[in-house]
Amino acid sequence: MSSETPTERREAAATRRRWVTLAEVVAVAGVLIAALTLWTNWSEHRAAEADKIAAQSSEARERTKIDLSAIVQDGGATLLLKDARHDLQDVTITFPRALGVSPQRPPAEPVIEKSWFSKPLLKLTDGGADNRSGRLPVLVSLHYFDGDTTRSASGIYDVIWKTEAGSIPFAGRSLKLEGLRVRQRGGDQARIDAIWAREKPAV
């Protein structure tokens, strides 16, 4: 027969209930912590995957982007167009209408030749200083290979030029090409016409 008094039994029962309640709280807390840890890991994994996909997409866009540069050849007579990542094909160079030069499609290498436009440009600048420099906006349209895929691109570029007096007296002025600089990606005939009307050299 128990020697506990009714009060002691009530207190013992209350103590057991407290321990059960505490155990339940600990168990629930453990479940919540586990769930939070799982969610955090999943969220971090998802964020890492999203960053990876974004990086791959950015890398793909960068890989397919055309970044033209030019090598000056033949003492400034020619600009050889190059892109570090792609082989260029079917290049078309379009000039401002006011210059009176038809679009040019070099049959072999992707080049810009001064002979295409030197005469009208020298005529336009005739009567001014012999030695001067300027920029001629042109629209460059081309196809290129991206792996096994053929893509197309266009952009407006400034052909950097300069004129100088001939080395022989009364031989007149000569034109030299000095480089190529990108102005904008994309563009059309109307855009280069507007640029030229605003920026063409004044006598």
Side-chain angles (χ1 to χ4, degrees):
M1 185 173 181
S2 176
S3 61
E4 291 181 339
T5 66
T7 301
E8 289 173 335
R9 285 196 297 271
R10 286 195 299 271
E11 291 177 352
T15 300
R16 286 193 298 271
R17 285 194 298 271
R18 285 195 296 270
W19 279 109
V20 170
T21 302
L22 180 59
E24 291 173 345
V25 170
V26 171
V28 171
V31 171
L32 291 175
I33 291 172
L36 180 60
T37 301
L38 181 63
W39 182 85
T40 301
N41 291 339
W42 175 82
S43 180
E44 290 176 350
H45 176 73
R46 186 177 181 184
E49 285 296 318
D51 290 343
K52 182 179 178 181
I53 292 172
Q56 290 173 343
S57 178
S58 177
E59 182 180 349
R61 286 195 301 271
E62 185 65 24
R63 188 176 62 250
T64 60
K65 186 174 68 174
I66 283 290
D67 187 16
L68 282 185
S69 60
I71 300 173
V72 180
Q73 295 184 327
D74 305 323
T78 304
L79 296 178
L80 176 62
L81 306 183
K82 305 287 287 184
D83 180 86
R85 293 182 293 265
H86 307 102
D87 293 326
L88 307 181
Q89 306 287 329
D90 302 326
V91 176
T92 300
I93 312 298
T94 304
F95 298 86
R97 287 194 183 94
L99 205 60
V101 179
S102 60
Q104 300 293 316
R105 298 176 178 85
E109 291 186 305
V111 296
I112 296 176
E113 301 277 359
K114 78 171 186 179
S115 59
W116 297 343
F117 57 90
S118 59
K119 185 175 180 179
L121 190 55
L122 286 170
K123 182 178 179 180
L124 179 66
T125 58
D126 194 23
D130 289 337
N131 300 322
R132 59 192 303 175
S133 60
R135 300 178 298 176
L136 171 63
V138 298
L139 177 65
V140 180
S141 305
L142 52 84
H143 292 87
Y144 63 97
F145 288 110
D146 176 26
D148 296 330
T149 304
T150 301
R151 302 183 185 276
S152 61
S154 64
I156 295 177
Y157 293 80
D158 287 330
V159 176
I160 312 302
W161 55 266
K162 72 174 181 179
T163 62
E164 55 188 15
S167 57
I168 302 175
F170 309 108
R173 297 176 301 131
S174 63
L175 178 75
K176 287 186 176 181
L177 307 184
E178 297 201 303
L180 188 76
R181 183 178 304 162
V182 63
R183 181 182 283 260
Q184 70 174 64
R185 300 192 184 279
D188 54 21
Q189 180 75 63
R191 177 61 177 155
I192 59 173
D193 289 344
I195 294 171
W196 184 242
R198 184 174 65 248
E199 300 181 5
K200 66 181 179 181
V203 178

